[in-house]
Amino acid sequence: MKRIPGVCWLCLLAVLPASAQQRFDAAQLLTDVRVLAADSLEGRRAGSAGAAMARAYVQAAYERYGLRPLGQGYAQPFPFTRGREAVQGVNLLGYVPGSEHPDAFIVLSAHYDHLGIRGGEIFNGADDNASGVAGLLAAAAYFSRNPPRHSVLFAALDAEESGLQGARAFLAQPPVPLEGIRLNVNLDMISRNERDELFVAGTYHYPALKPYLEEVAARSRLRLRFGHDQPRGAAGQDWTTASDHGPFHRAGIPFVYFGVEDHADYHQPTDDYARIDPSFFIRAVDTILDAVVVLDAGLEAFRPASSH
C-alpha cells in the first residue's frame, strides 16, 4: 500500500470495512484526490490547461482499468458559451460491458471541472469535485475486475460549474440510446462531513429505489441519510437539479445523487486536499460502491418512474 503524507494508515484500517479493503485501493483513492486537487492543475476550469491535465490523468486511469471507449475514443467534445466566451468542453466516457444485460446502462457520473483561478487564488476543489472523480475511478477499478450484470458507463463530466454543460451535452448527443440508460448515479462532494453523514437524494422522485438503498444504509459504516430531494422543502435544500443528475432527471432517467451538505470551504480557495477527511471519504466510497452493486443486482426488478 502506498504511503500518503499525513495519513495514518493503521488508523484508517481500524475503521475501514473489510468490504472496502477488498473492493478498492484506499491509497490510490487518496492519491487521485491529491493529484486532481493539486495547485498545478490551477483549479480545473473548463477549457483551461489545468482541465486538460485533469482529463489526461482520468484518461490514463480509464486505460489502466481497461474501460472500453464509446466510438473512436474516450473524449466527447462539446462547445458551450460562458458569458461571451466560446469554450470547448470535453466529457470522458468509458464503460464496462454488462455480463447479462449489455444493452442496459447505469451511468456513473462525476464532474472533474472546478472554478479555476479567481483573484489570484487557486480554487482547487478537492471535495468539489476531485473527490467524486476519485470515487468514480475506484468504481471503475472494481468493475473492471468484477463485471456488472448491466453495463456501467463511467462519465467524467466537464463544465458542471458552468451550468451542468457536460451533462447537458451528454444527453443532447447520447453515446448510447437513451432508452438503454436505466439509472444515473452521480457523485459530487463526498470526502468530508463533520457529522459523519452522507446524503443520498432521489428516492422522493423514484421511491422504488429506496428499499435497495435502505439495505445499503443498514450496513454502512457512516450515516447514509435520505433527503434533499423534496421540492416543498426550505429554499436551497432541494438538490434535484443541483448537479449533473439534474439533466438526467429532466430526461426521465431515474437518478440517485450522493453528496454532503455544504461546508465552510465550499467554492472557496480553501477546498484543498488537506481539508478532506480520509476516514470519512474511504467509508463514503465503500458505501457508494456497495449501492451501485446492489442497484445493479436489482435493476431488472424495478422500472422506477417519476411520480412527482
Side-chain angles (χ1 to χ4, degrees):
M1 181 176 282
K2 298 177 184 177
R3 297 192 63 82
I4 309 297
V7 174
C8 172
W9 284 107
L10 292 177
C11 299
L12 288 182
L13 289 172
V15 299
L16 185 60
S19 58
Q21 296 179 46
Q22 296 166 3
R23 283 176 173 155
F24 62 90
D25 183 340
Q28 185 63 54
L29 180 77
L30 294 176
T31 294
D32 290 342
V33 174
R34 179 175 54 81
V35 171
L36 290 168
D39 284 351
S40 59
L41 272 65
E42 298 183 337
R44 309 186 308 277
R45 183 170 171 82
S48 71
M53 293 171 66
R55 199 157 53 244
Y57 184 85
V58 173
Q59 178 165 322
Y62 279 19
E63 293 169 350
R64 184 166 66 250
Y65 300 139
L67 300 190
R68 297 189 185 183
L70 292 150
Q72 297 301 310
Y74 297 120
Q76 182 197 43
F78 61 92
F80 72 98
T81 57
R82 187 168 52 210
R84 296 183 178 180
E85 178 188 11
V87 182
Q88 181 76 11
V90 184
N91 294 332
L92 287 179
L93 312 176
Y95 75 104
V96 174
S99 60
E100 298 179 28
H101 306 280
D103 295 326
F105 288 81
I106 297 172
V107 175
L108 186 59
S109 60
H111 75 90
Y112 69 88
D113 68 296
H114 196 52
L115 300 176
I117 299 175
R118 298 183 174 185
E121 294 190 279
I122 302 174
F123 287 66
N124 283 320
D127 192 35
D128 185 14
N129 185 37
S131 68
V133 177
L136 180 147
L137 295 179
Y142 173 81
F143 284 113
S144 70
R145 300 187 308 269
N146 303 275
R149 295 181 64 214
H150 305 81
S151 294
V152 179
L153 196 167
F154 298 89
L157 300 176
D158 200 359
E160 189 268 358
E161 301 287 5
S162 299
L164 316 183
Q165 299 294 337
R168 295 175 191 273
F170 177 98
L171 291 161
Q173 294 186 308
V176 298
L178 279 181
E179 58 270 22
I181 300 176
R182 299 284 299 278
L183 179 67
N184 171 231
V185 179
N186 188 41
L187 316 181
D188 195 349
M189 297 175 58
I190 59 171
S191 66
R192 53 183 289 193
N193 181 267
E194 293 179 355
R195 294 184 294 277
D196 219 33
E197 293 177 343
L198 179 70
F199 276 87
V200 55
T203 61
Y204 174 82
H205 301 283
Y206 305 101
L209 296 168
K210 193 167 187 179
Y212 299 90
L213 295 167
E214 287 176 331
E215 174 187 337
V216 173
R219 60 175 172 256
S220 174
R221 290 289 295 271
L222 48 71
R223 295 180 61 197
L224 183 61
R225 295 191 57 185
F226 297 87
H228 286 300
D229 52 10
Q230 297 191 28
R232 292 184 293 274
Q237 294 303 303
D238 180 10
W239 297 347
T240 299
T241 60
S243 184
D244 286 321
H245 54 279
F248 286 88
H249 175 60
R250 285 192 290 270
I253 297 169
F255 77 89
V256 290
Y257 164 44
F258 291 95
V260 298
E261 292 182 325
D262 291 353
H263 45 71
D265 300 308
Y266 171 68
H267 280 194
Q268 298 297 319
T270 50
D271 184 9
D272 290 325
Y273 173 74
R275 299 291 180 97
I276 73 168
D277 179 340
S279 172
F280 176 87
F281 184 32
I282 291 167
R283 287 178 288 129
V285 171
D286 182 57
T287 298
I288 292 165
L289 188 49
D290 189 24
V292 178
V293 170
V294 169
L295 291 166
D296 173 53
L299 200 59
E300 294 304 307
F302 62 84
R303 296 274 181 170
S306 178
S307 58
H308 300 278

